[in-house]
Amino acid sequence: MNLTVALLETRRPMTLAEIRQRTGYYRQGDSESSRRMFERDKDDLRRLGVPIETREVAFGDELGYVVDRSTYELADVDLTAEEVAALSLAVQLTGSEGAHLALAKLAARAPDPSELATSPTTRVSLAPDPVDAVADAVVSRTPVRFPYRTAGGDTAERTVDPYAIVQRRGAWYLVGRDHDRDAVRAFRLDRFVGRAREAGGPGGYRVPEGFDPASAVSGPEGERTDVELAVRPAARWAVELRGGVDTGRVHAGQPVLRLPDLDPVRDRSWLLGLGADVEVLEPAQLRGEVVDALRRLTERSERDARGGGREESGEATSERSERDARGGGREESGEATSERSERDARGGGREET
């Protein structure tokens, strides 16, 4: 039973000793350690909006703690018929079976309830926010374990004490102590290849005093710039989704869109992924880099097509082995080239690779 539920269910303020007995938490060897951990958790919950109240306990000198349900719980939700219809459509497209039951309860309170459709013809898959997967562990100070893919493509299991979540250069990072390396590392959330699982109980570690999460994410902030693209219809939705605005001009028969505040290093792989459906017009340096990367990809595809899965001769195998030994002979993909360029442009640091 967690601290919030315990303080909600009690009918009178509970002392710290009673909270320890009810929840099983804060059983450190000395009372001062227990008190410090409780005060830290109490402050975290208050920052999240849980109204923990401190009150005097009758017939005692200790203070008690309680959460007033009338302050904590939401007011009743009364929906109009139009609001129910909008929610019904959203549930049909994205909701689970549990969502249909919850919607039915809300619809029953509407002034003009109508029958809810239960057999959707179309569904939309919504990816969960990666921050949500680790936010609870950061707040509760719970160690986590997760499979992680490095920039080089290798995957390994990591166990981490999550200190904080940081956004840098358009990406989210989990910053914490890596158990295997016994050092602070930063892990990009979009490189998790599975869900984060608990690797211990709440309150399992302490964040170092004065710790600065941003300092653990390597590399300076990159310069951002406006980018102009000639966009074919197939890619227009993707460009507009990133903030692209039509300039009213035309290049080679295609409309020219301007993307504001783009990172020319980090976002290069996204541009390459659009392939022939976009043409970078400005800035000239980015245009040249994208053209070079696409040329390398084309050359590699042509070589692979000529190779066609045939077995290599002994001489070819020997030459390949020699190239591999020297570290050469491999053309990088657009995404790999972009990631390598990003690291070279910004420096390495302590980001986990």
Side-chain angles (χ1 to χ4, degrees), residues 56 124 146 193 198 275:
E56 293 184 355
V124 177
F146 52 86
V193 294
E198 292 184 358

Side-chain angles (χ1 to χ4, degrees), residues 154-167:
D154 298 326
T155 301
E157 193 85 359
R158 300 297 172 86
T159 303
V160 175
D161 294 337
Y163 291 169
I165 300 171
V166 178
Q167 187 181 47

Side-chain angles (χ1 to χ4, degrees), residues 8-43:
L8 275 170
E9 289 188 343
T10 183
R11 296 186 178 182
R12 60 175 180 79
M14 289 196 300
T15 65
L16 178 57
E18 291 172 326
I19 291 172
R20 278 201 300 264
Q21 182 178 2
R22 177 75 67 87
T23 65
Y25 298 161
Y26 316 116
R27 295 185 179 276
Q28 285 70 19
D30 60 280
S31 59
E32 285 301 318
S33 297
S34 299
R35 169 63 64 178
R36 284 195 301 269
M37 184 170 291
F38 169 72
E39 292 295 334
R40 183 204 64 205
D41 290 349
K42 176 166 63 69
D43 291 342

Side-chain angles (χ1 to χ4, degrees), residues 87-101 103 118 120 122-126:
L87 281 176
S88 178
L89 177 61
V91 168
Q92 289 180 56
L93 293 174
T94 65
S96 63
E97 291 301 321
H100 284 281
L101 177 60
L103 178 61
T118 57
T122 304
R123 293 191 64 81
V124 177
S125 177
L126 298 179

